[in-house]
Amino acid sequence: MCRRRAGSSRRTSQCATIPITKRGAEKLKEELQRLKTVDRPWVINAIAEARAQGDLSENAEYDAAKDRQGFIEGRIAEIEGKLSAAQIIDPAALDAGGRVVFGATVELEDEDSGAAVTYQIVGEDEADLKLGLVNISSPIARALIGKEEGDVAEVQAPGGTKRFEIVAVRYA
């Protein structure tokens, strides 16, 4: 997560921060807690049971448990890294003067169809389009950032350019 100086193995004090909503950080913390208190002990037990069966060279249960352990340990490290670099943003505490910013919930109207959609701009780990949570790096989020109620955002979609009018911006 931290940048290294060219030609040096030392990390600089400037670490890239990862924006995440308060809700997203809580979900990551819950997953980390589950991995450490439920999944990790379970897989350690599974490895011990597989070892007790004898010859490890042909033991599929042992191989599967070791693979699972590697996944769990990797995910724990990934989550800890993300949380250590996280810039936790509480959308309810934002005061962006009506502008679309990270964490904002934006009500849009498709200028062609008149269809209304609502999106919240969130971090990469939180994005779920079915729930109206769009990644800050997505084309629609990039088109909306900095705009205000009444503005029109043009989004380059696979089917061509789509135009959305910003109906409302909320910080909740």
Side-chain angles (χ1 to χ4, degrees), residues 27-96:
K27 287 177 101 173
L28 281 178
K29 288 175 185 175
E30 288 170 12
E31 181 182 356
L32 183 61
Q33 181 70 14
R34 187 195 79 244
L35 287 167
K36 287 182 169 183
T37 62
V38 177
D39 295 358
R40 183 188 268 166
W42 177 87
V43 80
I44 289 169
N45 187 48
I47 290 170
E49 287 178 13
R51 272 195 180 132
Q53 295 175 5
D55 185 13
L56 298 180
S57 65
E58 295 181 16
N59 189 327
E61 289 84 13
Y62 177 79
D63 290 340
K66 288 298 281 184
D67 286 348
R68 180 74 182 146
Q69 181 184 38
F71 172 80
I72 290 169
E73 296 303 327
R75 184 65 181 149
I76 287 171
E78 179 183 4
I79 292 171
E80 287 176 339
K82 285 179 180 181
L83 288 173
S84 70
Q87 177 185 3
I88 300 171
I89 297 170
D90 182 0
L94 292 175
D95 181 17

Side-chain angles (χ1 to χ4, degrees), residues 91 94 99-106 119-122 169-172:
L94 292 175
R99 284 190 346 263
V100 179
V101 294
F102 180 88
T105 300
V106 186
Y119 295 122
Q120 181 181 17
I121 299 173
V122 297
V169 179
R170 297 188 318 270
Y171 311 107

Side-chain angles (χ1 to χ4, degrees), residues 96 98-110 117-122 129 132-156 162-169 171:
R99 284 190 346 263
V100 179
V101 294
F102 180 88
T105 300
V106 186
E107 293 178 33
L108 306 169
E109 182 178 307
D110 186 322
V117 291
T118 302
Y119 295 122
Q120 181 181 17
I121 299 173
V122 297
L129 197 53
L133 304 172
V134 295
N135 183 345
I136 184 75
S137 301
S138 69
I140 187 137
R142 288 194 317 260
L144 293 172
I145 293 292
K147 300 233 182 322
E148 298 177 349
E149 190 174 309
D151 288 349
V152 173
E154 290 189 4
V155 180
Q156 296 300 323
K162 294 187 79 83
R163 292 172 51 90
F164 294 95
E165 180 181 347
I166 300 172
V167 178
V169 179
Y171 311 107

